[in-house]
Amino acid sequence: MATIGDVAREAGVSRSTASYALSGKRPISEEVRRRVLAAAEALAYTPNAGARALATAQTKVLGLLAQFHEDEFAPAMMQYILGVTNTARDLGYDTLLVTEADGVRALRRVTDSRMVDGVVLMNIAEDDARLPILRAAPQPGALVGLPGDCSGLDVFDLDFEEAGRVMVDHLHRLGHRELILISQPEHVVERGGAYVWRLRDAALERARTLGLTLHAVYGESRQPAVGRLLHGLLDAYPAATGLLINNEAAAAALPSVTYERGLRVPGDLSVIGRYSADFAATFSLPYSFIESAPDRLGSMAVRQLVRRVESASARKEPFVVRFISPELADRGSTAPPRPHAS
């Protein structure tokens, strides 16, 4: 493996000049810079990360703590991870993905060892045991998800309360009077997944205000259980004309269920989901949906984190809590209910 000394000898310059030419930290003549770059390319030189960390006190690595829970839909989680890793790469950072079940121990390990310059946390719980560790860490942190206490950290999330209201309002304007809301599995709520009850509670409150009947149920995360649940709900509430889905597994399973039952969307049933456009494309979902914007949320968290990593003044700025406003992508899956079903 070539070293910076090898590059310097090949280019006919000192080690320090070669280092400055590659890092850009000091002005070097264009002719010398070209020689150093050509030498580095010829020797397939890759900077030593450990040496760079010692010299600059930076690793150029961001930690990403995320977990794949059995009761959540893994493809949806991957959308958030890609938003983080793609943006980090664009900004010149590698990403260390940590999926250890003991999040507190994992976070303490990666921050105490200084193996990362900053940390993004996902799977945020209402009372998340990792947050005191991150607040006390020497590295800055950012969250994708809203905890009960946002102090000392930058937080980015979809406005789930407003998403619930937008879904209900849209079907109310079309004349629907009885709706079903399918949320994530109940275990997600028990684990502290506040985004589930934030949307659910807001939707229920808006439905009460508008005089609508809303049957709010917890869903499943995989087949065949989620398919059975959908069939059971449509049997239990035959007068319901609108379906709200805050559960990616249920959204992915719905086309086969409506086909088996001979239901037309939106003729027999209006549907609104909450997921991303990429998710809809992956599963060929024809339904209108609230854009969950996982890539945008991951990108926002990383950009703010890198600002704090690279700027001493940014480290002193007030922490931010930013919500993405829900946007309804109309795919033609909602319509006024048929007269006999209203």
Side-chain angles (χ1 to χ4, degrees), residues 93-296:
Y93 286 77
D94 292 318
T95 304
L96 174 65
L97 175 61
V98 182
T99 60
E100 184 176 334
D102 188 340
V104 170
R105 183 175 67 179
L107 179 59
R108 185 176 284 118
R109 184 179 70 251
V110 299
T111 54
D112 286 354
S113 65
R114 306 295 182 101
M115 66 174 68
V116 299
D117 295 332
V119 177
V120 177
L121 292 190
M122 292 186 176
N123 307 100
I124 305 301
E126 174 80 357
D127 185 16
D128 200 306
R130 299 171 298 176
L131 301 193
I133 307 300
L134 189 54
R135 291 187 183 101
Q139 303 92 335
L143 313 184
V144 178
L146 180 71
D149 179 6
C150 298
S151 62
L153 298 162
D154 294 312
V155 178
F156 304 87
D157 205 2
L158 176 70
D159 189 338
F160 280 91
E161 289 95 338
E162 185 62 16
R165 291 188 285 265
V166 168
M167 296 166 91
V168 172
D169 287 347
H170 181 77
L171 292 185
H172 174 259
R173 284 193 297 270
L174 291 172
H176 294 265
R177 293 297 177 263
E178 185 171 347
L179 313 174
I180 302 170
L181 168 62
I182 305 176
S183 296
Q184 299 288 348
E186 193 165 8
H187 288 108
V188 178
V189 176
E190 294 170 352
R191 199 168 53 239
Y195 72 96
V196 179
W197 71 70
R198 284 163 55 202
L199 189 150
R200 183 178 185 270
D201 290 354
L204 284 167
E205 178 60 30
R206 181 56 61 93
R208 282 192 292 268
T209 300
L210 297 173
L212 307 185
T213 299
L214 176 60
H215 308 286
V217 299
Y218 296 111
E220 300 288 346
S221 61
R222 60 185 60 190
Q223 287 282 32
V226 69
R228 289 196 297 265
L229 173 78
L230 287 165
H231 280 294
L233 289 173
L234 295 172
D235 288 337
Y237 305 113
T241 57
L243 183 61
L244 312 178
I245 306 179
N246 185 27
N247 179 313
E248 290 87 353
L254 185 60
S256 63
V257 170
T258 55
Y259 177 78
E260 291 170 14
R261 300 177 72 93
L263 293 176
R264 294 177 298 112
V265 176
D268 301 310
L269 184 69
S270 287
V271 178
I272 303 177
R274 194 279 307 159
Y275 41 74
S276 72
D278 285 344
F279 184 88
T282 298
F283 289 91
S284 301
L285 298 180
Y287 311 125
S288 300
F289 62 93
I290 298 291
E291 172 60 64
S292 57
D295 51 348
R296 184 177 168 196

Side-chain angles (χ1 to χ4, degrees), residues 286-307:
Y287 311 125
S288 300
F289 62 93
I290 298 291
E291 172 60 64
S292 57
D295 51 348
R296 184 177 168 196
L297 286 168
S299 179
M300 291 168 65
V302 169
R303 291 184 185 282
Q304 177 69 356
L305 185 62
V306 169
R307 282 188 67 252

